mmCIF file of all heavy atoms in Angstrom:
data_model
loop_
_atom_site.group_PDB
_atom_site.id
_atom_site.type_symbol
_atom_site.label_atom_id
_atom_site.label_comp_id
_atom_site.label_asym_id
_atom_site.label_seq_id
_atom_site.Cartn_x
_atom_site.Cartn_y
_atom_site.Cartn_z
ATOM 1 N N VAL A 1 61.756 144.596 73.693
ATOM 2 C CA VAL A 1 62.417 143.778 74.694
ATOM 3 C C VAL A 1 61.658 143.969 76.000
ATOM 4 O O VAL A 1 61.454 145.098 76.439
ATOM 5 C CB VAL A 1 63.891 144.159 74.867
ATOM 6 C CG1 VAL A 1 64.526 143.357 75.996
ATOM 7 C CG2 VAL A 1 64.647 143.932 73.570
ATOM 8 N N TYR A 2 61.241 142.881 76.603
ATOM 9 C CA TYR A 2 60.469 142.936 77.829
ATOM 10 C C TYR A 2 61.358 142.626 79.022
ATOM 11 O O TYR A 2 62.100 141.645 79.024
ATOM 12 C CB TYR A 2 59.293 141.952 77.774
ATOM 13 C CG TYR A 2 58.151 142.464 76.939
ATOM 14 C CD1 TYR A 2 58.258 142.522 75.552
ATOM 15 C CD2 TYR A 2 56.971 142.914 77.530
ATOM 16 C CE1 TYR A 2 57.228 143.020 74.779
ATOM 17 C CE2 TYR A 2 55.937 143.409 76.766
ATOM 18 C CZ TYR A 2 56.065 143.460 75.392
ATOM 19 O OH TYR A 2 55.036 143.954 74.629
ATOM 20 N N TYR A 3 61.282 143.468 80.038
ATOM 21 C CA TYR A 3 62.080 143.337 81.244
ATOM 22 C C TYR A 3 61.185 143.149 82.461
ATOM 23 O O TYR A 3 60.151 143.800 82.579
ATOM 24 C CB TYR A 3 62.928 144.594 81.485
ATOM 25 C CG TYR A 3 63.920 144.914 80.402
ATOM 26 C CD1 TYR A 3 63.568 145.721 79.324
ATOM 27 C CD2 TYR A 3 65.220 144.432 80.471
ATOM 28 C CE1 TYR A 3 64.481 146.035 78.333
ATOM 29 C CE2 TYR A 3 66.141 144.738 79.494
ATOM 30 C CZ TYR A 3 65.764 145.540 78.425
ATOM 31 O OH TYR A 3 66.681 145.854 77.449
ATOM 32 N N CYS A 4 61.592 142.285 83.364
ATOM 33 C CA CYS A 4 60.980 142.277 84.682
ATOM 34 C C CYS A 4 61.892 143.012 85.644
ATOM 35 O O CYS A 4 63.111 143.090 85.437
ATOM 36 C CB CYS A 4 60.678 140.855 85.180
ATOM 37 S SG CYS A 4 62.115 139.816 85.491
ATOM 38 N N ALA A 5 61.316 143.585 86.681
ATOM 39 C CA ALA A 5 62.074 144.375 87.628
ATOM 40 C C ALA A 5 61.485 144.211 89.019
ATOM 41 O O ALA A 5 60.282 144.002 89.173
ATOM 42 C CB ALA A 5 62.064 145.854 87.222
ATOM 43 N N ALA A 6 62.346 144.308 90.027
ATOM 44 C CA ALA A 6 61.940 144.170 91.420
ATOM 45 C C ALA A 6 62.074 145.499 92.134
ATOM 46 O O ALA A 6 63.119 146.142 92.071
ATOM 47 C CB ALA A 6 62.778 143.102 92.116
ATOM 48 N N ARG A 7 61.029 145.885 92.809
ATOM 49 C CA ARG A 7 60.980 147.132 93.554
ATOM 50 C C ARG A 7 60.998 146.804 95.043
ATOM 51 O O ARG A 7 60.214 145.981 95.517
ATOM 52 C CB ARG A 7 59.723 147.906 93.159
ATOM 53 C CG ARG A 7 59.399 149.139 93.947
ATOM 54 C CD ARG A 7 58.126 149.759 93.365
ATOM 55 N NE ARG A 7 57.429 150.594 94.328
ATOM 56 C CZ ARG A 7 57.472 151.916 94.347
ATOM 57 N NH1 ARG A 7 58.180 152.577 93.457
ATOM 58 N NH2 ARG A 7 56.800 152.586 95.265
ATOM 59 N N THR A 8 61.885 147.441 95.789
ATOM 60 C CA THR A 8 62.038 147.166 97.213
ATOM 61 C C THR A 8 61.576 148.321 98.093
ATOM 62 O O THR A 8 61.614 148.205 99.317
ATOM 63 C CB THR A 8 63.495 146.833 97.557
ATOM 64 O OG1 THR A 8 64.331 147.934 97.215
ATOM 65 C CG2 THR A 8 63.948 145.593 96.800
ATOM 66 N N VAL A 9 61.146 149.420 97.506
ATOM 67 C CA VAL A 9 60.667 150.575 98.251
ATOM 68 C C VAL A 9 59.167 150.714 98.063
ATOM 69 O O VAL A 9 58.570 150.119 97.160
ATOM 70 C CB VAL A 9 61.375 151.873 97.819
ATOM 71 C CG1 VAL A 9 62.863 151.766 98.077
ATOM 72 C CG2 VAL A 9 61.110 152.155 96.340
ATOM 73 N N THR A 10 58.540 151.504 98.941
ATOM 74 C CA THR A 10 57.103 151.726 98.862
ATOM 75 C C THR A 10 56.748 153.167 98.543
ATOM 76 O O THR A 10 55.582 153.463 98.295
ATOM 77 C CB THR A 10 56.409 151.330 100.173
ATOM 78 O OG1 THR A 10 56.967 152.076 101.256
ATOM 79 C CG2 THR A 10 56.584 149.840 100.440
ATOM 80 N N TYR A 11 57.741 154.062 98.554
ATOM 81 C CA TYR A 11 57.477 155.451 98.240
ATOM 82 C C TYR A 11 57.452 155.667 96.734
ATOM 83 O O TYR A 11 57.888 154.812 95.968
ATOM 84 C CB TYR A 11 58.515 156.373 98.901
ATOM 85 C CG TYR A 11 59.943 156.121 98.490
ATOM 86 C CD1 TYR A 11 60.458 156.642 97.314
ATOM 87 C CD2 TYR A 11 60.786 155.366 99.305
ATOM 88 C CE1 TYR A 11 61.761 156.411 96.942
ATOM 89 C CE2 TYR A 11 62.095 155.135 98.949
ATOM 90 C CZ TYR A 11 62.579 155.660 97.758
ATOM 91 O OH TYR A 11 63.883 155.432 97.395
ATOM 92 N N SER A 12 56.951 156.822 96.345
ATOM 93 C CA SER A 12 56.813 157.194 94.941
ATOM 94 C C SER A 12 55.869 156.229 94.230
ATOM 95 O O SER A 12 55.162 155.436 94.861
ATOM 96 C CB SER A 12 58.183 157.250 94.265
ATOM 97 O OG SER A 12 58.097 157.860 92.986
ATOM 98 N N SER A 13 55.872 156.263 92.915
ATOM 99 C CA SER A 13 54.943 155.468 92.121
ATOM 100 C C SER A 13 55.617 154.229 91.565
ATOM 101 O O SER A 13 56.741 154.289 91.070
ATOM 102 C CB SER A 13 54.377 156.307 90.977
ATOM 103 O OG SER A 13 53.584 155.515 90.107
ATOM 104 N N ALA A 14 54.921 153.103 91.613
ATOM 105 C CA ALA A 14 55.431 151.866 91.040
ATOM 106 C C ALA A 14 55.475 151.906 89.521
ATOM 107 O O ALA A 14 56.024 150.997 88.897
ATOM 108 C CB ALA A 14 54.583 150.688 91.504
ATOM 109 N N LEU A 15 54.912 152.952 88.920
ATOM 110 C CA LEU A 15 54.979 153.117 87.474
ATOM 111 C C LEU A 15 56.323 153.665 87.014
ATOM 112 O O LEU A 15 56.633 153.621 85.823
ATOM 113 C CB LEU A 15 53.873 154.054 86.986
ATOM 114 C CG LEU A 15 52.476 153.468 86.768
ATOM 115 C CD1 LEU A 15 51.876 152.965 88.080
ATOM 116 C CD2 LEU A 15 51.558 154.507 86.136
ATOM 117 N N ASN A 16 57.123 154.192 87.945
ATOM 118 C CA ASN A 16 58.400 154.806 87.620
ATOM 119 C C ASN A 16 59.513 153.764 87.631
ATOM 120 O O ASN A 16 59.799 153.159 88.667
ATOM 121 C CB ASN A 16 58.722 155.928 88.604
ATOM 122 C CG ASN A 16 57.758 157.088 88.500
ATOM 123 O OD1 ASN A 16 57.229 157.362 87.428
ATOM 124 N ND2 ASN A 16 57.525 157.775 89.608
ATOM 125 N N ALA A 17 60.159 153.578 86.494
ATOM 126 C CA ALA A 17 61.227 152.591 86.389
ATOM 127 C C ALA A 17 62.376 152.885 87.330
ATOM 128 O O ALA A 17 63.050 151.959 87.788
ATOM 129 C CB ALA A 17 61.723 152.532 84.939
ATOM 130 N N ALA A 18 62.609 154.161 87.637
ATOM 131 C CA ALA A 18 63.730 154.545 88.479
ATOM 132 C C ALA A 18 63.599 154.024 89.898
ATOM 133 O O ALA A 18 64.589 153.984 90.634
ATOM 134 C CB ALA A 18 63.885 156.062 88.484
ATOM 135 N N THR A 19 62.406 153.628 90.321
ATOM 136 C CA THR A 19 62.211 153.129 91.680
ATOM 137 C C THR A 19 62.456 151.626 91.801
ATOM 138 O O THR A 19 62.365 151.088 92.900
ATOM 139 C CB THR A 19 60.794 153.446 92.182
ATOM 140 O OG1 THR A 19 59.825 152.728 91.408
ATOM 141 C CG2 THR A 19 60.512 154.942 92.078
ATOM 142 N N TYR A 20 62.768 150.958 90.704
ATOM 143 C CA TYR A 20 63.054 149.526 90.722
ATOM 144 C C TYR A 20 64.562 149.308 90.797
ATOM 145 O O TYR A 20 65.302 149.793 89.940
ATOM 146 C CB TYR A 20 62.475 148.842 89.486
ATOM 147 C CG TYR A 20 60.966 148.771 89.495
ATOM 148 C CD1 TYR A 20 60.195 149.882 89.183
ATOM 149 C CD2 TYR A 20 60.316 147.585 89.826
ATOM 150 C CE1 TYR A 20 58.813 149.817 89.209
ATOM 151 C CE2 TYR A 20 58.937 147.511 89.849
ATOM 152 C CZ TYR A 20 58.182 148.629 89.535
ATOM 153 O OH TYR A 20 56.813 148.565 89.555
ATOM 154 N N ALA A 21 65.006 148.564 91.790
ATOM 155 C CA ALA A 21 66.434 148.400 92.048
ATOM 156 C C ALA A 21 67.065 147.255 91.269
ATOM 157 O O ALA A 21 68.277 147.266 91.027
ATOM 158 C CB ALA A 21 66.670 148.189 93.542
ATOM 159 N N HIS A 22 66.283 146.272 90.882
ATOM 160 C CA HIS A 22 66.823 145.074 90.252
ATOM 161 C C HIS A 22 66.091 144.785 88.952
ATOM 162 O O HIS A 22 64.865 144.883 88.887
ATOM 163 C CB HIS A 22 66.719 143.871 91.198
ATOM 164 C CG HIS A 22 67.300 144.117 92.547
ATOM 165 N ND1 HIS A 22 68.657 144.107 92.778
ATOM 166 C CD2 HIS A 22 66.712 144.407 93.732
ATOM 167 C CE1 HIS A 22 68.883 144.364 94.049
ATOM 168 N NE2 HIS A 22 67.727 144.551 94.659
ATOM 169 N N TRP A 23 66.862 144.408 87.946
ATOM 170 C CA TRP A 23 66.331 144.188 86.610
ATOM 171 C C TRP A 23 66.857 142.894 86.014
ATOM 172 O O TRP A 23 67.990 142.490 86.269
ATOM 173 C CB TRP A 23 66.712 145.348 85.683
ATOM 174 C CG TRP A 23 66.073 146.642 86.054
ATOM 175 C CD1 TRP A 23 66.466 147.501 87.038
ATOM 176 C CD2 TRP A 23 64.915 147.219 85.450
ATOM 177 N NE1 TRP A 23 65.622 148.582 87.083
ATOM 178 C CE2 TRP A 23 64.667 148.436 86.125
ATOM 179 C CE3 TRP A 23 64.068 146.831 84.408
ATOM 180 C CZ2 TRP A 23 63.597 149.273 85.780
ATOM 181 C CZ3 TRP A 23 63.014 147.656 84.066
ATOM 182 C CH2 TRP A 23 62.789 148.863 84.754
ATOM 183 N N GLY A 24 66.016 142.261 85.203
ATOM 184 C CA GLY A 24 66.459 141.130 84.423
ATOM 185 C C GLY A 24 67.160 141.590 83.162
ATOM 186 O O GLY A 24 67.275 142.788 82.889
#
């Protein structure tokens, strides 16, 4: 299952799912 996600912060790594606040 493929998900897109939106990240609103710039800290930490964009590879970490926990830093994405919004998900499809």
Side-chain angles (χ1 to χ4, degrees):
V1 176
Y2 283 72
Y3 299 90
C4 66
R7 172 179 157 102
T8 60
V9 299
T10 58
Y11 60 82
S12 192
S13 174
L15 278 64
N16 294 330
T19 66
Y20 290 78
H22 308 283
W23 294 80

